[in-house]
Amino acid sequence: MSRYTIANEPGASAGRTTEVGWDAPLSTYFLMAFEPGDDPDGDETEVFWYGCTPAEVPTVEALDALLAKHNLVVTAPIAHALVQDREREGRRFANRPAAVLIADMVRLEVDDAQQERIDAELARRRS
């Protein structure tokens, strides 16, 4: 899994951390932002998190659309690294022992397009 910290969106709190990366075990790119929390345990507060279910953000273009939604950009070197990370690390969701179970668990939570991508990933397992 890769992870890169990027500049926060304009107007974000100073404590916010925004990151992008490639998650090979879920076969998805991700974009997430967290801020320091108020609880005594120091847990962070999620601002947003995309790419936490299988095949949710399958391409850099899909990641770019999410970035634009939050007025975020990645530098050219990070964009290039993200593509290389996917090529190097591959898509490993189908090979996880619990892949079918995970796919069934998220089935009611994802849209049809994502479910098709998950099913395509699972089909890779059989080939």
Side-chain angles (χ1 to χ4, degrees):
M1 183 165 107
S2 65
R3 182 181 303 233
Y4 305 93
T5 301
I6 63 172
N8 292 318
E9 63 188 296
S13 70
R16 182 178 294 181
T17 301
T18 304
E19 297 176 325
V20 296
W22 171 249
D23 186 337
L26 286 178
S27 297
T28 187
Y29 287 103
F30 64 86
L31 166 63
M32 59 187 180
F34 291 87
E35 293 183 349
D38 293 334
D39 71 50
D41 293 332
D43 290 337
E44 295 179 313
T45 301
E46 176 184 322
V47 178
F48 55 81
W49 189 349
Y50 305 95
C52 55
T53 58
E56 184 178 346
V57 187
T59 63
V60 170
E61 292 78 18
L63 180 63
D64 284 341
L66 293 170
L67 289 161
K69 179 179 175 179
H70 292 280
N71 298 314
L72 296 166
V73 295
V74 295
T75 62
I78 290 177
H80 181 71
L82 287 167
V83 171
Q84 288 183 321
D85 294 340
R86 181 174 183 219
E87 290 174 3
R88 182 181 62 255
E89 296 177 25
R91 299 176 355 223
R92 299 198 305 254
F93 176 69
N95 298 326
R96 296 179 73 182
V100 174
L101 176 63
I102 293 168
D104 287 342
M105 289 173 60
V106 302
R107 188 170 304 278
L108 297 175
E109 304 297 324
V110 302
D111 63 26
D112 291 341
Q114 184 179 352
Q115 189 59 52
E116 287 178 19
R117 292 190 301 270
I118 292 170
D119 291 341
E121 287 292 322
L122 291 175
R124 295 177 73 238
R125 180 182 208 159
R126 294 188 266 289
S127 56

